Amino acid sequence: RVVLADDHAVTREGIRKMLGTAADLQIVGEAQGGVEAMQLAAQLQPDILLLDLQMPGPRPAEVERWVRANCPHTETLVLTAHDRRSYLAEMIDAGAVGYLPKSTTSAERLIEAIRRAAKGAILFDAEQVAQAQCWRETVGAKWNRLTEREREILALIVHGKTDKEIAAQLGVKLKTVGNHVSSILEKLEMTSRTEAAVWAVKEGFIDAA
């Protein structure tokens, strides 16, 4: 029993057709966002949550952690067009059991992955595990150096705010913002606000929208 979570109707239709060739698989619910995916998982308690990574609502890792806490019999397989190591590492850490790229996953491979996951198999291969670990030790380690306030300020920089605007929004002195920005650049080993902002968006820490 599968809940399919993807915000693209055409993609969901394609997956329905792929899984329709297997008599032992049944799509029992479809979600267009993270909140709906959690609601359906709680309501239907499926064997598999087939989860896309780019949907409205909570971050996919947050969805997965919630599912792990509230739907212990549901395993999560990621099916995504995104190959960022940050997403891979986050989903491994959150408790997903597999991470399948849409571009190279055939109907046969997807069906077999669902069957294996439903039986308790972990489907990450050695290369994926190595990529996730490399990301944690390099990129992830830099992000973890930042305080919550520094992350908040970096997000405001990503969204185009000047130091003066950040100071006004946070109710702090301009010099305080400048000190935070300097600390951010030092911890990230970068030389400019723009470089830090581009990095944060590229690695998936901050949404540019």
Side-chain angles (χ1 to χ4, degrees), residues 38 40-49 63-76 94-97 117-120 122:
M38 292 187 291
L40 289 178
Q43 176 186 346
L44 302 172
Q45 295 290 318
D47 301 299
I48 299 294
L49 171 62
V63 173
E64 171 56 7
R65 282 191 287 269
W66 188 93
V67 170
R68 291 275 55 74
N70 295 278
C71 311
H73 301 297
T74 299
E75 302 291 359
T76 298
V97 298
K119 294 178 180 178
I122 303 298

Side-chain angles (χ1 to χ4, degrees), residues 169-184:
Q169 182 168 332
L170 299 182
V172 299
K173 294 180 179 179
L174 183 61
K175 182 179 178 181
T176 300
V177 175
N179 290 338
H180 280 306
V181 172
S182 296
S183 177
I184 290 168

Side-chain angles (χ1 to χ4, degrees), residues 9-199:
V10 173
T11 300
R12 294 199 307 274
E13 180 180 358
I15 294 172
R16 277 199 306 272
K17 290 179 179 178
M18 292 168 70
L19 301 189
T21 63
D24 58 328
L25 304 186
Q26 178 188 9
I27 295 179
V28 295
E30 296 185 24
Q32 300 181 57
V35 172
E36 190 178 6
M38 292 187 291
Q39 291 172 339
L40 289 178
Q43 176 186 346
L44 302 172
Q45 295 290 318
D47 301 299
I48 299 294
L49 171 62
L50 193 59
L51 182 67
D52 183 37
L53 295 184
Q54 288 289 339
M55 296 190 299
R59 291 176 66 91
E62 294 176 29
V63 173
E64 171 56 7
R65 282 191 287 269
W66 188 93
V67 170
R68 291 275 55 74
N70 295 278
C71 311
H73 301 297
T74 299
E75 302 291 359
T76 298
L77 271 176
V78 175
L79 181 64
T80 182
H82 299 274
D83 60 358
R84 285 178 177 169
R85 291 183 302 165
S86 58
Y87 290 151
L88 175 62
E90 284 182 352
M91 295 311 296
I92 290 177
D93 293 342
V97 298
Y99 193 99
L100 306 173
K102 288 179 179 178
S103 59
T104 59
T105 300
S106 64
E108 292 77 12
R109 183 184 177 194
L110 177 59
I111 290 168
E112 181 62 20
I114 291 173
R115 287 170 175 161
R116 291 179 61 199
K119 294 178 180 178
I122 303 298
L123 304 181
F124 295 104
D125 60 33
E127 181 180 355
Q128 289 176 323
V129 172
Q131 287 178 346
Q133 184 60 25
C134 179
W135 181 89
R136 292 188 196 99
E137 293 174 353
T138 54
V139 178
K142 287 183 177 180
W143 178 254
N144 290 335
R145 294 172 193 164
L146 301 181
T147 65
E148 286 300 318
R149 177 62 97 182
E150 288 168 349
R151 293 177 185 180
E152 183 180 14
I153 289 174
L154 182 54
L156 292 172
I157 292 172
V158 167
H159 297 142
K161 302 293 185 180
T162 65
D163 284 7
K164 185 176 181 180
E165 291 170 332
I166 293 172
Q169 182 168 332
L170 299 182
V172 299
K173 294 180 179 179
L174 183 61
K175 182 179 178 181
T176 300
V177 175
N179 290 338
H180 280 306
V181 172
S182 296
S183 177
I184 290 168
L185 296 180
E186 180 180 354
K187 291 178 179 179
L188 296 183
E189 301 173 5
M190 296 176 186
T191 58
S192 72
R193 295 160 51 100
T194 300
E195 183 183 8
V198 169
W199 175 87

